[in-house]
């Protein structure tokens, strides 16, 4: 079979002539010959496989720059790249689904204002932060109150100031009345306030590079907990005897696991397991995950820095949360577990129980 005209090649590859001309200009799919006078393009039949691959990747929504890279790979590596791309699409879709659910929920609520006394449920809570056995100082900050639960894990030369600034920016939520319809806007505003406070804290040092913090907080609305999450601090939920991690780590390694580049076992010992892809700090991506959780009586929430979650296995977290009655004792036991495992990092946690209020 001889060379195919651009029209014939377009029909065979299911790409339009306009797309073929664009891909030629971008170096994605270069024709075998181009008439020097008319500029008319001709393609070889053996180029059809590559053209169809480009067409399918475009249907997946893959950016042209990434398609160019995939075309340079052998079949096995190209398959891994497609798998990684689609895992990222699914993760992004999940984040958008959570936000959509948040929007639907808060737009349909009829309460005129959030009040911890407007519903028959309340929270009983305790918080504890410890330097650990290796670090010289504590860069974590925790807060637990009748409306606000928060953990921030600072990093860099002024990490302690950064984490404290982030949590301090949220403290007014303890006393402010927030109309239910404004909940999403309020949460977005407090993240911006926290980011500004962290940047100001970083500017106060002689070497602000790398200064930043995670921020994981839950705001009690009287019947729900509104979650704001940036970084790799975590929230766990103990419900009906089962323990669930309800936050997603914003780390390089977690992204690699999501994309199929690492196994969970490899991630646990990876040298970059603490490298963040989202945080509050200068130049960082500070896009928060936001979600609403319906509260149930006897639910127990754990907010913690990675000084707990990276050294204490999930089964031990489950055991302590299940078997320990009061939040005050639970946080002490959790910190003791972390230090019993070497205490390599600052460790901070908040335990909050959903309880029925006495009428």
């Amino acid at each position: 079979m001889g060379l195919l005209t651009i029209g014939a090649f377009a029909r065979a590859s299911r790409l339009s002539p306009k797309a073929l001309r664009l891909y030629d200009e971008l170096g994605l799919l270069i024709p075998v010959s181009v008439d020097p006078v008319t500029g008319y393009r001709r393609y070889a039949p053996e180029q059809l496989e590559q053209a169809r691959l480009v067409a399918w990747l475009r249907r997946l929504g893959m950016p042209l720059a990434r398609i160019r890279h995939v075309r340079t790979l052998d079949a096995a590596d190209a398959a891994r790249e497609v798998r990684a791309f689609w895992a990222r699409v699914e993760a992004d879709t999940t984040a958008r689904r959570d936000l959509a659910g948040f929007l639907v929920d808060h737009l349909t609520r009829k309460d005129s204002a959030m009040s911890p006394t407007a519903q028959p449920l309340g929270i009983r809570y305790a918080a504890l932060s410890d330097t650990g056995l290796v670090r010289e100082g504590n860069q974590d900050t925790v807060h637990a109150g009748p409306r606000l639960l928060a953990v921030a894990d600072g990093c860099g030369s002024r990490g302690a100031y950064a984490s404290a600034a982030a949590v301090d920016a949220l403290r007014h939520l303890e006393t402010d009345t927030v109309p239910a319809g404004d909940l999403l806007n309020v949460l977005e505003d407090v993240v911006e306030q926290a980011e500004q406070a962290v940047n100001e804290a970083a500017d106060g040092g002689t070497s602000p590079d790398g200064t930043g913090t995670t921020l994981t907080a839950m705001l009690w609305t009287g019947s729900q907990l509104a979650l704001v999450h940036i970084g790799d601090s975590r929230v766990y939920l103990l419900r009906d005897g089962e323990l669930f991690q309800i936050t997603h780590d914003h780390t390089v390694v977690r992204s690699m696991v999501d994309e199929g580049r690492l196994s969970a076992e490899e991630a646990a010992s990876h040298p970059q397991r603490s490298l963040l892809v989202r945080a509050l700090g200068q130049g960082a991506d500070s896009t928060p995950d936001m979600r609403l959780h319906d509260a149930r009586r006897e639910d127990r929430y754990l907010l913690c820095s990675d000084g707990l979650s990276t050294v204490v296995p999930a089964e031990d977290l489950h055991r302590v949360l299940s078997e320990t009655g009061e939040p005050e004792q639970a946080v002490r036991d959790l910190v003791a577990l972390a230090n019993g495992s070497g205490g390599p990092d600052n460790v901070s946690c908040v335990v909050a129980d959903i309880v029925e209020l006495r009428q």
Side-chain angles (χ1 to χ4, degrees):
M1 182 185 297
L3 297 181
L4 301 174
T5 65
I6 190 171
F9 192 79
R11 289 189 294 275
S13 64
R14 298 184 181 179
L15 290 167
S16 70
K18 180 179 179 180
L20 289 172
R21 286 190 288 269
L22 174 63
Y23 298 160
D24 179 14
E25 294 169 3
L26 296 175
L28 266 176
L29 196 61
I30 300 172
V32 170
S33 70
V34 180
D35 189 290
V37 177
T38 65
Y40 205 70
R41 296 167 172 82
R42 292 183 179 274
Y43 297 82
E46 53 267 28
Q47 290 182 283
L48 280 171
E49 184 177 353
Q50 284 291 325
R52 288 168 181 153
L53 174 62
V54 171
W56 284 113
L57 293 177
R58 287 299 291 154
R59 288 186 65 179
L60 279 179
M62 184 177 287
L64 293 174
R66 193 159 185 174
I67 292 175
R68 185 186 298 114
H69 171 63
V70 171
R71 283 193 64 252
T72 67
L73 304 175
D74 60 31
D77 288 339
R80 280 191 286 270
E81 189 69 17
V82 173
R83 188 182 302 113
F85 168 75
W86 191 247
R88 175 49 47 196
V89 170
E90 290 183 324
D92 291 343
T93 300
T94 298
R96 290 196 297 271
R97 184 179 64 236
D98 290 340
L99 180 57
F102 195 136
L103 282 166
V104 170
D105 194 283
H106 102 277
L107 288 171
T108 54
R109 290 188 66 196
K110 296 180 180 179
D111 306 63
S112 60
M114 295 191 310
S115 169
T117 62
Q119 299 290 338
L121 297 178
I123 56 173
R124 185 174 58 208
Y125 49 83
L128 186 61
S129 184
D130 189 83
T131 303
L133 304 181
V134 175
R135 300 292 178 89
E136 293 183 357
N138 192 349
Q139 293 188 312
D140 288 359
T141 299
V142 295
H143 173 88
R147 284 190 173 182
L148 179 67
L149 313 169
V151 172
D153 180 359
C155 59
S157 59
R158 291 178 62 82
Y161 295 97
S163 66
V167 173
D168 285 345
L170 275 62
R171 289 183 191 272
H172 67 90
L173 296 175
E174 285 283 17
T175 55
D176 289 355
T177 298
V178 181
D182 289 341
L183 178 58
L184 189 61
N185 292 333
V186 167
L187 294 178
E188 189 171 36
D189 288 344
V190 297
V191 170
E192 292 179 0
Q193 293 162 10
E195 183 176 25
Q196 181 178 352
V198 169
N199 289 337
E200 290 173 356
D203 288 338
T206 57
S207 179
D209 291 346
T211 292
T213 185
T214 70
L215 178 62
T216 300
M218 301 192 85
L219 178 63
W220 175 240
T221 73
S223 61
Q224 296 174 310
L225 282 159
L227 169 69
V228 174
H229 169 64
I230 306 167
D232 64 348
S233 296
R234 290 182 178 179
V235 179
Y236 293 89
L237 168 62
L238 180 70
R239 173 175 286 177
D240 296 331
E242 293 189 58
L243 186 66
F244 307 92
Q245 180 183 334
I246 62 174
T247 51
H248 187 83
D249 295 345
H250 298 147
T251 62
V252 170
V253 167
R254 182 67 251 179
S255 297
M256 294 171 72
V257 172
D258 293 342
E259 294 174 359
R261 299 176 185 270
L262 280 180
S263 68
E265 292 74 19
E266 292 170 329
S269 59
H270 196 281
Q272 292 182 313
R273 59 186 177 277
S274 297
L275 186 60
L276 299 175
V277 294
R278 289 197 227 170
L280 293 178
Q282 295 175 327
D285 179 359
S286 59
T287 305
D289 291 342
M290 293 193 290
R291 199 174 309 150
L292 276 175
H293 283 267
D294 289 322
R296 295 186 190 175
R297 187 170 61 89
E298 298 183 354
D299 280 352
R300 170 167 276 189
Y301 287 87
L302 166 65
L303 289 72
C304 65
S305 64
D306 67 339
L308 178 67
S309 59
T310 59
V311 298
V312 177
E315 54 267 27
D316 290 336
L317 297 179
H318 187 194
R319 176 178 53 79
V320 169
L321 293 171
S322 300
E323 298 177 0
T324 308
E326 294 299 318
E328 291 83 358
Q329 187 60 49
V331 293
R332 288 195 292 268
D333 289 351
L334 290 169
V335 169
L337 276 178
N339 287 333
S341 298
D345 196 359
N346 308 145
V347 54
S348 300
C349 54
V350 175
V351 171
D353 293 342
I354 306 298
V355 296
E356 189 170 350
L357 296 176
R358 293 180 180 178
Q359 299 298 303

